[in-house]
Amino acid sequence: MQGKGDADLAVLLRAALAGDEKAYARFLERVAALVRAFARRRIVQGGVDAEDVVQDTLLAIHTKRHTWRPETPVEPWLYAIARYKLIDAFRRKGRHIEVDIDGFADAIPAVQSEETISERDLGRVLDTLSPGQRSVVESISVDGRSIGETAQALNMNETAVRVALHRGLKAIAARFGQ
Amino acid sequence: MNTDDLIKSMSADVADREMPMRRAWLLAALAAFGLAATVFFILIGPRADIGAAMQTWRFPFKFVVTLTLAFTAWKAVASLSHPDASRWRALRWLLAAPALIVAAIAVEVLTIPMDQMMPRLVGTNNMLCLVAIPAIGALPLAGFLAVLRHGAPASPGLAGAVAGVFAAAVAATFYAAHCIDDSPLFVALWYSLATLILALVGYAAGRSVARW
């Protein structure tokens, strides 16, 4: 039952789990597109930002990527995570909605601008990081620097940058939905 | 920060490696038996006539039931710690241990005199059973909840409850070596109640600690 799209994702994810940064970035970009479409199909009323669900799901995929079983297809795994995070988002907004993976397929997509909304939840969570973690995460994400460039710019060694990035992302993932 | 920025920071963090779930569950199972054994030998220890008891069918059969439950609950909770687990596929093997005990009850009811039923059902150790199994299983349960937190269960409460069943089965394997009530009637009633206690604790704890 494994389609071509899934096989490609599995190749990228396997490479990522072996430490390939470029493959991982491509994997996450494709996942973001899939989850964005998934969330927009299911969010038919306001109150929940599709892009918040995308970011929350990506963070969960990142911190929980060891829960993928390499002998199984990728898509059921990532949609299970997306569904969990979507239900979480609805719950936070105080809406009771049954989310069915096959349902709502033809619902009208919620049209939203990606740039403005994603400032909201993620920006708020960034504010709760320690100053060191925050400057490392921002240097790599917003400024687009590599680990090495960040180490130079912030006058830290690379190991410390990696640790701060790793802890920062874990903290963001843990606090995103609160 | 937009989504592309987030992806940049996550791909830069690619080198970080978490322990694979399979290894985590293997370590948790080994640690659980070690912890349960330690608490068991400190608190109660095996019964004095264990050699003679091994010659009967009822005493060894208790271990068949508890170890079957432990193995099936281990498989079930390990599966449920993955977000894409199928609940039915994970849970169906948990029927094995109850099926064994039902078969043993049938043999017991057919072979013992009627007036022996109630004494065997009530037993002599029932309150100890209800205290000792949760006490021996508490640390294993804490360990399993930690592994669930490391994982990503789609149903944290359910996964926590099965973790409680697993902890109870490990604890019951040791407790059975202490207890002199060997009738399947006793095991079916009191061991199940003790298991229910840990399952409820696991359910409540799982709902809070295994959310992600």
Short mmCIF file of all heavy atoms in Angstrom, two decimals, chain B residues 47-77:
data_model
loop_
_atom_site.label_atom_id
_atom_site.label_comp_id
_atom_site.label_asym_id
_atom_site.label_seq_id
_atom_site.Cartn_x
_atom_site.Cartn_y
_atom_site.Cartn_z
N ARG B 47 7.55 -18.21 49.14
CA ARG B 47 7.00 -19.06 50.20
C ARG B 47 7.98 -20.18 50.53
O ARG B 47 8.81 -20.57 49.70
CB ARG B 47 5.65 -19.62 49.76
CG ARG B 47 5.71 -20.44 48.51
CD ARG B 47 4.35 -20.61 47.87
NE ARG B 47 3.77 -21.92 48.15
CZ ARG B 47 2.62 -22.34 47.63
NH1 ARG B 47 1.92 -21.53 46.81
NH2 ARG B 47 2.15 -23.52 47.93
N ALA B 48 7.83 -20.75 51.74
CA ALA B 48 8.80 -21.74 52.22
C ALA B 48 8.72 -23.05 51.45
O ALA B 48 9.73 -23.70 51.21
CB ALA B 48 8.57 -21.99 53.72
N ASP B 49 7.52 -23.44 51.04
CA ASP B 49 7.34 -24.75 50.42
C ASP B 49 7.35 -24.68 48.90
O ASP B 49 6.64 -25.42 48.23
CB ASP B 49 6.03 -25.38 50.90
CG ASP B 49 4.82 -24.56 50.45
OD1 ASP B 49 5.01 -23.37 50.11
OD2 ASP B 49 3.70 -25.11 50.40
N ILE B 50 8.15 -23.77 48.36
CA ILE B 50 8.08 -23.52 46.91
C ILE B 50 8.46 -24.76 46.10
O ILE B 50 7.90 -25.01 45.03
CB ILE B 50 8.96 -22.29 46.55
CG1 ILE B 50 8.73 -21.88 45.09
CG2 ILE B 50 10.42 -22.54 46.80
CD1 ILE B 50 9.15 -20.47 44.77
N GLY B 51 9.37 -25.59 46.66
CA GLY B 51 9.78 -26.80 45.93
C GLY B 51 8.63 -27.77 45.78
O GLY B 51 8.38 -28.28 44.67
N ALA B 52 7.90 -27.98 46.85
CA ALA B 52 6.76 -28.89 46.81
C ALA B 52 5.66 -28.32 45.93
O ALA B 52 4.99 -29.04 45.18
CB ALA B 52 6.23 -29.14 48.23
N ALA B 53 5.47 -26.98 46.00
CA ALA B 53 4.41 -26.34 45.22
C ALA B 53 4.64 -26.53 43.73
O ALA B 53 3.69 -26.66 42.95
CB ALA B 53 4.33 -24.85 45.56
N MET B 54 5.92 -26.58 43.35
CA MET B 54 6.22 -26.74 41.92
C MET B 54 5.72 -28.07 41.37
O MET B 54 5.58 -28.24 40.16
CB MET B 54 7.74 -26.62 41.69
CG MET B 54 8.29 -25.21 41.70
SD MET B 54 7.45 -24.05 40.59
CE MET B 54 8.03 -24.61 38.99
N GLN B 55 5.47 -29.04 42.28
CA GLN B 55 5.01 -30.36 41.82
C GLN B 55 3.52 -30.36 41.48
O GLN B 55 3.03 -31.29 40.87
CB GLN B 55 5.27 -31.42 42.91
CG GLN B 55 6.70 -31.46 43.40
CD GLN B 55 7.70 -31.72 42.30
OE1 GLN B 55 7.50 -32.61 41.46
NE2 GLN B 55 8.77 -30.93 42.24
N THR B 56 2.79 -29.34 41.90
CA THR B 56 1.36 -29.27 41.58
C THR B 56 1.20 -28.63 40.20
O THR B 56 2.17 -28.15 39.61
CB THR B 56 0.62 -28.40 42.61
OG1 THR B 56 1.05 -27.04 42.44
CG2 THR B 56 0.91 -28.85 44.03
N TRP B 57 -0.03 -28.56 39.66
CA TRP B 57 -0.22 -27.83 38.40
C TRP B 57 -0.64 -26.39 38.66
O TRP B 57 -0.33 -25.49 37.88
CB TRP B 57 -1.22 -28.52 37.47
CG TRP B 57 -2.69 -28.46 37.88
CD1 TRP B 57 -3.36 -29.37 38.63
CD2 TRP B 57 -3.64 -27.44 37.55
NE1 TRP B 57 -4.68 -28.98 38.81
CE2 TRP B 57 -4.89 -27.80 38.14
CE3 TRP B 57 -3.59 -26.25 36.81
CZ2 TRP B 57 -6.04 -27.02 38.03
CZ3 TRP B 57 -4.74 -25.48 36.71
CH2 TRP B 57 -5.95 -25.85 37.31
N ARG B 58 -1.32 -26.17 39.79
CA ARG B 58 -1.88 -24.83 40.01
C ARG B 58 -0.80 -23.78 40.25
O ARG B 58 -0.90 -22.65 39.77
CB ARG B 58 -2.85 -24.85 41.19
CG ARG B 58 -4.13 -25.60 40.90
CD ARG B 58 -5.10 -25.54 42.06
NE ARG B 58 -6.32 -26.28 41.77
CZ ARG B 58 -6.44 -27.59 41.92
NH1 ARG B 58 -5.41 -28.30 42.39
NH2 ARG B 58 -7.57 -28.20 41.62
N PHE B 59 0.24 -24.14 41.02
CA PHE B 59 1.28 -23.15 41.34
C PHE B 59 2.05 -22.73 40.09
O PHE B 59 2.11 -21.52 39.79
CB PHE B 59 2.21 -23.70 42.42
CG PHE B 59 3.30 -22.74 42.82
CD1 PHE B 59 3.03 -21.63 43.61
CD2 PHE B 59 4.61 -22.93 42.38
CE1 PHE B 59 4.04 -20.74 43.96
CE2 PHE B 59 5.62 -22.05 42.73
CZ PHE B 59 5.32 -20.95 43.53
N PRO B 60 2.60 -23.66 39.31
CA PRO B 60 3.31 -23.20 38.09
C PRO B 60 2.38 -22.49 37.10
O PRO B 60 2.83 -21.59 36.37
CB PRO B 60 3.86 -24.50 37.47
CG PRO B 60 3.77 -25.52 38.53
CD PRO B 60 2.69 -25.11 39.48
N PHE B 61 1.10 -22.89 37.10
CA PHE B 61 0.19 -22.27 36.15
C PHE B 61 0.03 -20.76 36.39
O PHE B 61 -0.20 -19.99 35.46
CB PHE B 61 -1.18 -22.95 36.20
CG PHE B 61 -2.13 -22.48 35.13
CD1 PHE B 61 -1.96 -22.88 33.81
CD2 PHE B 61 -3.16 -21.59 35.43
CE1 PHE B 61 -2.80 -22.41 32.82
CE2 PHE B 61 -4.01 -21.13 34.44
CZ PHE B 61 -3.83 -21.54 33.13
N LYS B 62 0.18 -20.34 37.65
CA LYS B 62 0.11 -18.90 37.95
C LYS B 62 1.14 -18.12 37.14
O LYS B 62 0.88 -17.02 36.64
CB LYS B 62 0.34 -18.63 39.45
CG LYS B 62 -0.74 -19.20 40.35
CD LYS B 62 -0.66 -18.61 41.76
CE LYS B 62 0.57 -19.06 42.52
NZ LYS B 62 0.56 -18.61 43.94
N PHE B 63 2.34 -18.73 37.00
CA PHE B 63 3.40 -18.04 36.25
C PHE B 63 3.13 -18.04 34.76
O PHE B 63 3.50 -17.11 34.05
CB PHE B 63 4.76 -18.68 36.57
CG PHE B 63 5.09 -18.60 38.03
CD1 PHE B 63 4.88 -19.69 38.86
CD2 PHE B 63 5.55 -17.42 38.58
CE1 PHE B 63 5.14 -19.61 40.21
CE2 PHE B 63 5.82 -17.33 39.93
CZ PHE B 63 5.61 -18.43 40.76
N VAL B 64 2.48 -19.13 34.30
CA VAL B 64 2.10 -19.15 32.89
C VAL B 64 1.18 -17.96 32.59
O VAL B 64 1.36 -17.22 31.62
CB VAL B 64 1.41 -20.49 32.53
CG1 VAL B 64 0.88 -20.43 31.09
CG2 VAL B 64 2.36 -21.65 32.71
N VAL B 65 0.21 -17.74 33.50
CA VAL B 65 -0.74 -16.64 33.29
C VAL B 65 -0.05 -15.28 33.41
O VAL B 65 -0.20 -14.43 32.52
CB VAL B 65 -1.91 -16.74 34.30
CG1 VAL B 65 -2.80 -15.51 34.20
CG2 VAL B 65 -2.71 -18.00 34.06
N THR B 66 0.72 -15.09 34.47
CA THR B 66 1.30 -13.75 34.68
C THR B 66 2.35 -13.42 33.60
O THR B 66 2.42 -12.28 33.14
CB THR B 66 1.95 -13.62 36.06
OG1 THR B 66 2.97 -14.61 36.22
CG2 THR B 66 0.91 -13.78 37.17
N LEU B 67 3.12 -14.43 33.21
CA LEU B 67 4.14 -14.16 32.17
C LEU B 67 3.49 -13.94 30.80
O LEU B 67 3.98 -13.13 30.02
CB LEU B 67 5.17 -15.29 32.13
CG LEU B 67 6.14 -15.30 33.32
CD1 LEU B 67 6.99 -16.57 33.33
CD2 LEU B 67 7.06 -14.06 33.30
N THR B 68 2.39 -14.65 30.54
CA THR B 68 1.66 -14.40 29.30
C THR B 68 1.12 -12.97 29.29
O THR B 68 1.24 -12.24 28.29
CB THR B 68 0.49 -15.40 29.15
OG1 THR B 68 1.01 -16.71 29.14
CG2 THR B 68 -0.29 -15.14 27.87
N LEU B 69 0.56 -12.57 30.43
CA LEU B 69 0.04 -11.20 30.51
C LEU B 69 1.17 -10.19 30.36
O LEU B 69 1.02 -9.17 29.65
CB LEU B 69 -0.71 -10.99 31.83
CG LEU B 69 -1.43 -9.65 31.96
CD1 LEU B 69 -2.53 -9.51 30.93
CD2 LEU B 69 -2.00 -9.46 33.37
N ALA B 70 2.30 -10.46 31.01
CA ALA B 70 3.43 -9.52 30.94
C ALA B 70 3.90 -9.38 29.49
O ALA B 70 4.09 -8.26 29.00
CB ALA B 70 4.57 -9.99 31.84
N PHE B 71 4.07 -10.51 28.81
CA PHE B 71 4.58 -10.44 27.44
C PHE B 71 3.60 -9.72 26.51
O PHE B 71 3.99 -8.85 25.72
CB PHE B 71 4.88 -11.85 26.92
CG PHE B 71 5.48 -11.85 25.55
CD1 PHE B 71 6.80 -11.46 25.35
CD2 PHE B 71 4.72 -12.21 24.45
CE1 PHE B 71 7.35 -11.45 24.07
CE2 PHE B 71 5.26 -12.20 23.17
CZ PHE B 71 6.58 -11.81 22.99
N THR B 72 2.32 -10.06 26.62
CA THR B 72 1.35 -9.44 25.71
C THR B 72 1.17 -7.96 26.03
O THR B 72 1.01 -7.13 25.13
CB THR B 72 -0.01 -10.17 25.77
OG1 THR B 72 -0.45 -10.24 27.13
CG2 THR B 72 0.09 -11.56 25.21
N ALA B 73 1.20 -7.60 27.32
CA ALA B 73 1.06 -6.18 27.68
C ALA B 73 2.29 -5.39 27.23
O ALA B 73 2.19 -4.23 26.83
CB ALA B 73 0.85 -6.03 29.19
N TRP B 74 3.44 -6.04 27.30
CA TRP B 74 4.68 -5.39 26.83
C TRP B 74 4.57 -5.07 25.34
O TRP B 74 4.85 -3.95 24.90
CB TRP B 74 5.86 -6.32 27.10
CG TRP B 74 7.20 -5.80 26.67
CD1 TRP B 74 7.75 -4.59 26.97
CD2 TRP B 74 8.16 -6.50 25.88
NE1 TRP B 74 9.01 -4.49 26.40
CE2 TRP B 74 9.28 -5.65 25.74
CE3 TRP B 74 8.20 -7.76 25.29
CZ2 TRP B 74 10.42 -6.01 25.01
CZ3 TRP B 74 9.34 -8.12 24.57
CH2 TRP B 74 10.43 -7.26 24.44
N LYS B 75 4.14 -6.07 24.56
CA LYS B 75 3.97 -5.84 23.13
C LYS B 75 2.93 -4.74 22.87
O LYS B 75 3.09 -3.88 22.00
CB LYS B 75 3.52 -7.13 22.42
CG LYS B 75 4.59 -8.20 22.39
CD LYS B 75 5.89 -7.65 21.89
CE LYS B 75 6.47 -8.39 20.72
NZ LYS B 75 7.78 -7.78 20.36
N ALA B 76 1.83 -4.79 23.64
CA ALA B 76 0.74 -3.83 23.42
C ALA B 76 1.18 -2.40 23.75
O ALA B 76 0.94 -1.47 22.97
CB ALA B 76 -0.47 -4.23 24.26
N VAL B 77 1.83 -2.23 24.89
CA VAL B 77 2.19 -0.86 25.29
C VAL B 77 3.29 -0.32 24.38
O VAL B 77 3.30 0.88 24.05
CB VAL B 77 2.56 -0.79 26.79
CG1 VAL B 77 3.93 -1.39 27.06
CG2 VAL B 77 2.51 0.65 27.28
#
